[in-house]
Amino acid sequence: MSMLTNTLGRYFAGRFVVAALGVFAGIFLLLVLVDYIEMVRKTSGLASASAVMVAETSLFRVPQLLEKLTPFCMLIGAMTCYLALSRRLELVVARAAGVSAWQFISPALGSALLIGVIATVAYNPMSANLRELSKRMEAELFGSAPGGGIQDASGFWLNQKTSDGETIINAARSEQQGIRLTGLTLFRFDTEQHFKERVEAREATLEAGRWLFKGVRRFSLDLPPVDQASLEIPTTLTEAQVRNSFSTPETVSFWQLPSYIRSSESSGFATAGYRLQYQKLLAQPFLLAAMVMLAASVSLRFFRMGGVQKMVLSGVGAGFLLYVLSKVTEDLSKAELMHPIAAAWLPVVVGGLTGFLALLYQEDG
């Protein structure tokens, strides 16, 4: 019986992994196609945009988008796996051989935990690095396009004050967590808050004590526009201050988050977003296991008893409610109304307990 259980365990684990990776690959291809079409639409008026570069940009953007959908890939993959096993009566044979539901669910739980660990320690840093590459490629595509600065009010904004006056910086795109900016528009004021000039620049880099702007055009009230190759503006901003303004926790890899948290704390900035992201990545393996529990609770009914549509809708509905709960706790944590640990782990506990109690009622109730 021990050999039979081990063989069945490897078989069920393999079926689950294949189903989950199939869902993952399908959603990946769908996202690549949709994002590529959107990028083609945006770059249709740019003569320098080649099809290969647009495709690479879309390909590098998608992994981070897909990372947010990983729990749903596990949910749909587990439901697909168990429904297929039930349809082929393999679950019936396993039960007849004395294997309980808990025994053929445990291989999928172990596989989900392993996939979650890999997603946290390997896939997350890879997706963050690819996102930075995509930002660099977007800067090359749109850097020379008009309207990258002042017309783009949804970009990144930064205000700095020095002995020379005040400068308001708007950047269309940010790279390296705000150290390099592209598509810039600057509004400069003197020490008495009188408007001095507007400056447009192709890119800017934060260096020690200064911003270095390249591809500059300066506009003043009483002079014609002046083009310059570069422009230096002094600044008192540090990398930590710029990072807090331009970076988002989702673009920081798992291994860099602790240093970002310490840096923000030493600079006096809020760290709730970084702490929440770190706890979410730590909880990710257990969240994937909770999704398997939810999927098993609605997918282990015998296929020939009917009600498959209701089972699928129940699983999708449970996953959606868990997603809503995670978004609510995330917003509460970012508003500092809930501790990041509680916000990250509450959906895991709720999802895991819900699936466990439902299975306990079905199998042993």
Side-chain angles (χ1 to χ4, degrees), residues 158-179:
L158 185 67
N159 185 20
Q160 69 168 33
K161 292 184 179 180
T162 62
S163 58
D164 296 333
E166 183 176 359
T167 303
I168 299 175
I169 302 175
N170 171 237
R173 291 163 293 277
S174 167
E175 300 177 29
Q176 303 174 20
Q177 309 300 328
I179 305 303

Side-chain angles (χ1 to χ4, degrees), residues 160-292:
Q160 69 168 33
K161 292 184 179 180
T162 62
S163 58
D164 296 333
E166 183 176 359
T167 303
I168 299 175
I169 302 175
N170 171 237
R173 291 163 293 277
S174 167
E175 300 177 29
Q176 303 174 20
Q177 309 300 328
I179 305 303
R180 184 176 183 271
L181 308 175
T182 56
L184 294 120
T185 301
L186 289 74
F187 302 93
R188 304 187 67 187
F189 301 85
D190 59 20
T191 54
E192 298 180 355
Q193 297 297 314
H194 296 152
F195 178 77
K196 290 174 54 178
E197 63 177 350
R198 176 169 65 87
V199 180
E200 292 185 356
R202 185 182 67 254
E203 61 180 80
T205 305
L206 178 64
E207 299 180 354
R210 67 173 185 172
W211 283 103
L212 178 60
F213 297 88
K214 297 181 180 179
V216 177
R217 171 169 287 188
R218 307 175 68 173
F219 301 85
S220 58
L221 296 177
D222 50 358
L223 294 174
V226 177
D227 293 332
Q228 295 181 206
S230 62
L231 174 66
E232 296 182 7
I233 295 181
T235 182
T236 58
L237 298 174
T238 63
E239 290 188 4
Q241 292 172 318
V242 173
R243 182 185 301 148
N244 188 74
S245 298
F246 288 92
S247 68
T248 58
E250 292 77 11
T251 60
V252 183
S253 71
F254 172 75
W255 301 108
Q256 294 176 329
L257 277 171
S259 62
Y260 272 63
I261 293 172
R262 290 192 297 268
S263 176
S264 297
E265 283 181 341
S266 62
S267 302
F269 294 119
T271 60
Y274 295 111
R275 290 183 179 275
L276 175 64
Q277 178 67 8
Y278 187 64
Q279 292 298 326
K280 285 173 63 178
L281 290 175
L282 288 178
Q284 186 168 230
F286 303 95
L287 178 61
L288 300 187
M291 286 296 185
V292 173

